[in-house]
Amino acid sequence: MLDQHRGVLLPFARVVLKSDLGAVTDNARAFARRPTAERLTFFRQSINACTRDWPKDDHRHVVISAEDLIGLIPGRRGRVGYPQAAPLLSTFTSTLGDLFPHHGCHVFFSTRTPSDWLRSCHAHHLRHTRCTLDQEAYERAYAAGADLTGAARDIAANLDGVPASTASLGDHPHPAIPLFNLISLPKEMRDKIRPEPPSNISMPNTILTEFLALNRSDLDEQTLVAQKKALLTEYRKAKR
C-alpha cells in the first residue's frame, strides 16, 4: 500500500521501504545472525551512508517500513522470537536522531494473532528453507515466541525512551489505518488511498504439503530448489 501510494503521500510523508534501504537491511540481518559489536557498527555506518543525501531541512514525516529492521524471521536454526530487535531498533533510531534532530522517532509495530503468524512463518520456511516440521510440530516448537504483542512490548521497553505503539492487523478494516492515525494523515489524502489486496500470501496447503515432502527427501540442495521453483511456476500458471 505504501509503495503504491507514494505519490499521494508525498506532500505529507516520504515513504522509505526495504528496496530503498540498500545495505541497511543486509547489515541488520547479518547482525541478527551473529550479533557482534563490529556488525552493529557496520549497521550504523550503512544507515549513515543510506541517508547521506536525505535533505536536512525537510519537515515532512518519513515513514520507514522494513521488517528486517527487527532481525531475522523466527524459526531459522531454532531461533524463537526477535532477540536482536531491541539493539537494532535502538541503533537505528539513535542514528537517525543524531542525523535529523528536528525529527522525533516513533516505532510502530503491526502484529498478527499467534495462530495466523505461526501459519505464515511455517509456510515461509517450507518454501524457502529445508524445514521438515509439519504445521502441528512447528507450532509446538515456536509457540513460545508467538505472542507478538508481548514481544513488541518487551522490545519497546528497551528503546532508550523512544516512543512505540502497536496495532493488530486484524483490528482495522484497513491495516494502514493505525499508521495513518499515528502521523495524523489529512482526510483528503486518506480518501485517495485504495485498499490494496494482500500480497506475498501463503501457498495453498496442497503446495505446502509437496514442499514438506521435498524437504524431507534426500534430494541435493540444487535439485530441491529447482523442484520447488517448478511447483511454484505451475501453480502460478494455473491461477492465470
Side-chain angles (χ1 to χ4, degrees), residues 63-65 73 95 97 101-102 106 117 123 127 130 132 147 152 173 190 192 195 199 209 211 237 240:
V63 178
I64 303 169
S65 179
I73 181 174
T95 304
H102 58 277
H106 189 112
W117 182 75
R127 176 176 174 178
R130 197 152 200 162
T132 58
D147 177 13
R190 292 189 190 221
K192 296 178 182 178
S199 61
T209 299
F211 283 167
K237 282 182 181 177
R240 290 175 187 165

Side-chain angles (χ1 to χ4, degrees), residues 202-204 207 230-240:
S202 175
M203 300 291 106
I207 301 293
L231 272 173
L232 286 172
T233 299
E234 288 303 313
Y235 168 69
R236 287 165 179 158
K237 282 182 181 177
K239 281 190 67 178
R240 290 175 187 165

